[in-house]
Amino acid sequence: MIKPRPLRKGDKVAVICLSNGILGNIGCVQQVDIGVRRLNEYGLDICFTKHALRGTDFILAHPEARAADLKEAFLDDSVSGIITDIGGFETFRTIPYLMEDEEFMSAVREHPKMFLGFSDTTNNHFMFHRLGLQTFYGQSFICDLCEQANEMLPYSKTQFESLFEPYNGRIIKPSDVWYEERTDFSPSAIGTDRVSHADDTGYELLQGAPQFSGELLGGCIESMGEMLIADIGSNPEVNKILSGFPFGSAILEDLKHQNDIIRKYNIFPSAEEWEGKILFAETSEEQPSPERLKQFLEALKSEGVFAKINGIIVGKPQNNKYYEEYKAVWREVVDNEKLPILYNVNFGHGTPRAILPYGAEAFVDAEKQEILLK
C-alpha cells in the first residue's frame, strides 16, 4: 500500500466537497472562517477546490465537477493533503468519472497525498484502497476543524495532530467524555460548548478473545450496506431526502444502479481481500433503527466479510442512541461467538473522533483498553 507522507508545517491542504455542498451555503460562512483559522494556526496553507464553495444545489447536481476537483488536487504538486468538507449520501456518483480516468489513477499512485474524510466518503476510501493508496477515516473539515466551541474538542484535536507524524506506534484509547450533536449552527452558537457527558464505560468487548490484530478496513455501515443492496434507490427514507431537490429524480435513477457501479469498478473489497482484516464500522447521523442496522450487516455477511476477518471494532453510536440495541444486532448477525467484537470505540459520527488509517496493522487489547497502530 502506498503511504502518503505526514503533514508538515507549510503544507498546502485542499478542502473538497465530494458528496454535499453545504460548505458553500450562506449559513456555513462563520464555520468556514473558524476552520480556515484553525488550519492556519497549524501552519497549513488552505485552499478550496474549484467547485467546493458552489453550494448544495450545484454540488449534488454535478458529480463530474466533484470528480474533476479531486483529480485536480492530485495533479497539483503544491497540494500535500485533501480534507473532505463533510459526508452526504451519494459520493458513488463520482466513481465512474474517476475510475475511467487513467490520468487520475496514475496521479494517485505517483503523487500520493493525505486524504481525510468519513461517512459517505467511505466510497472514496474504498476507491483509493482499490488504487493502493492509504487514506484516513474519522474526521472532516466542517464536523471537526469548524467546531463552534472556542477550541476543537480536545480528543479530536489530538487525533488530528497525529496526521503530522507517522501513526506507527500510536495508541488509541477511549475518550472519558462524549458529546451530544449540535442542533444550533447559527452565529449565536459560536463560542458555546457542546453538551457533554462522562463516559466511564470504555471499550466493551461484546464477545471473543480480548486481544486480536489485523489490517484496518471499513467505514460507515450505511455506506457499505448501500454499496451492496441493489434496491437502495427504492428506499422511502432516501426518496424523502431527495424530494426537496429539483434534480432528485436523476440521483434516484443513479441510486438504482449504485450496486452496478460498485460491482463494475470493484469498489467493495472481495471476500478474499477481507482475509485477516479488522472490520471497523460505525452508524451515521441518521441513527438507523436496529432493524435497518440488521439489514446492512446482513448485506456484509452475504459478501463473506464476517467469515474472513479477524475481528470487529464498532464505533460509538451518535448521541448514544440504540446503544444497547445495536449490541444485540451485532451478536445476532455475526452469529459466531469466537469472532471478537470491540464496541464503543470513538470514531465516526459519535463525537469525539479518532482517525483510523486504512491498511494500518492494528493490535487490539480490550483488557488494556487500547488499540495500537503499526
Side-chain angles (χ1 to χ4, degrees):
M1 180 165 280
I2 303 168
K3 298 182 179 180
R5 71 163 175 80
L7 292 178
R8 295 193 294 241
K9 185 176 181 180
D11 280 346
K12 180 189 286 187
V13 171
V15 176
I16 192 169
C17 293
L18 290 171
S19 184
N20 187 318
I22 190 174
L23 189 68
N25 294 354
I26 189 66
C28 279
V29 171
Q30 293 86 359
Q31 287 98 311
V32 170
D33 289 344
I34 292 171
V36 169
R37 173 176 55 81
R38 288 190 177 134
L39 284 173
N40 289 160
E41 288 173 352
Y42 279 114
L44 298 172
D45 179 18
I46 181 174
C47 68
F48 295 93
T49 57
K50 183 178 180 180
H51 302 99
L53 300 177
R54 293 290 298 273
T56 298
D57 285 354
F58 177 88
I59 288 295
L60 287 178
H62 295 282
E64 79 285 354
R66 291 177 261 154
D69 278 4
L70 188 59
K71 176 181 177 179
E72 183 176 345
F74 270 94
L75 289 173
D76 187 345
D77 287 338
S78 72
V79 171
S80 300
I82 303 168
I83 302 176
T84 58
D85 67 327
I86 198 169
F89 59 89
E90 46 83 271
T91 309
F92 74 90
R93 296 174 70 220
T94 65
I95 289 172
Y97 300 99
L98 297 166
M99 294 299 284
E100 293 189 14
D101 189 327
E102 290 294 337
E103 187 177 25
F104 166 74
M105 292 188 286
S106 294
V108 169
R109 298 181 178 110
E110 296 170 9
H111 306 280
K113 304 175 191 296
M114 185 281 299
F115 179 85
L116 176 68
F118 74 108
S119 192
D120 193 49
T121 310
T122 300
N123 286 269
N124 301 110
H125 285 299
F126 277 17
M127 177 190 72
F128 285 124
H129 186 266
R130 174 64 59 220
L131 295 175
L133 176 68
Q134 179 179 66
T135 56
F136 298 81
Y137 188 92
Q139 296 188 3
S140 69
F141 182 69
I142 291 176
C143 297
D144 297 279
L145 288 153
C146 298
E147 164 60 42
Q148 289 173 279
N150 289 326
E151 300 289 341
M152 287 179 66
L153 303 180
Y155 185 97
S156 298
K157 182 175 186 288
T158 299
Q159 287 290 306
F160 180 77
E161 291 169 352
S162 72
L163 296 173
F164 286 81
E165 56 189 28
Y167 63 78
N168 303 65
R170 180 155 62 95
I171 297 176
I172 299 176
K173 290 182 174 289
S175 171
D176 58 6
V177 64
W178 67 270
Y179 303 87
E180 294 182 17
E181 287 306 298
R182 289 185 180 274
T183 56
D184 182 3
F185 295 91
S186 68
S188 63
I190 293 176
T192 63
D193 292 330
R194 292 187 181 222
V195 176
S196 62
H197 302 269
D199 191 345
D200 56 5
T201 304
Y203 298 155
E204 284 195 67
L205 184 68
L206 301 188
Q207 61 178 44
Q211 291 87 28
F212 57 98
S213 63
E215 292 184 2
L216 294 174
L217 182 59
C220 177
I221 293 171
E222 289 99 311
S223 295
M224 290 187 286
E226 288 166 2
M227 292 181 195
L228 305 173
I229 300 173
D231 64 346
I232 192 66
S234 301
N235 183 277
E237 296 176 12
V238 176
N239 278 268
K240 183 178 180 180
I241 292 172
L242 294 176
S243 63
F245 298 114
F247 47 85
S249 59
I251 298 176
L252 276 172
E253 190 61 32
D254 281 348
L255 280 168
K256 293 175 183 177
H257 302 293
Q258 177 177 6
N259 187 257
D260 294 337
I261 291 173
I262 296 302
R263 301 291 184 188
K264 179 178 180 179
Y265 301 103
N266 298 315
I267 299 302
F268 193 86
S270 66
E272 290 69 28
E273 291 174 296
W274 286 100
E275 185 75 48
K277 302 293 193 297
I278 291 177
L279 166 68
F280 64 86
E282 52 92 16
T283 45
S284 79
E285 80 285 355
E286 294 179 8
Q287 301 171 1
S289 67
E291 294 76 19
R292 189 74 172 142
L293 173 62
K294 182 178 179 180
Q295 181 184 21
F296 291 130
L297 295 186
E298 291 284 5
L300 295 182
K301 187 175 185 177
S302 70
E303 291 293 306
V305 174
F306 299 145
K308 296 291 186 178
I309 56 178
N310 287 357
I312 303 169
I313 59 176
V314 182
K316 186 179 189 67
Q318 190 181 78
N319 288 349
N320 256 17
K321 189 171 182 179
Y322 298 126
Y323 185 93
E324 293 297 331
E325 293 89 338
Y326 282 170
K327 291 192 223 178
V329 174
W330 276 101
R331 291 190 184 103
E332 177 187 352
V333 177
V334 168
D335 192 26
N336 175 6
E337 63 183 15
K338 293 184 178 180
L339 183 65
I341 302 177
L342 190 73
Y343 192 75
N344 198 40
V345 182
N346 303 106
F347 72 94
H349 287 77
T351 48
R353 281 181 269 270
I355 293 175
L356 302 179
Y358 281 83
E361 186 76 16
F363 295 83
V364 176
D365 192 323
E367 294 176 344
K368 290 185 177 180
Q369 293 281 287
E370 64 181 34
I371 300 170
L372 173 65
L373 301 181
K374 288 193 174 181

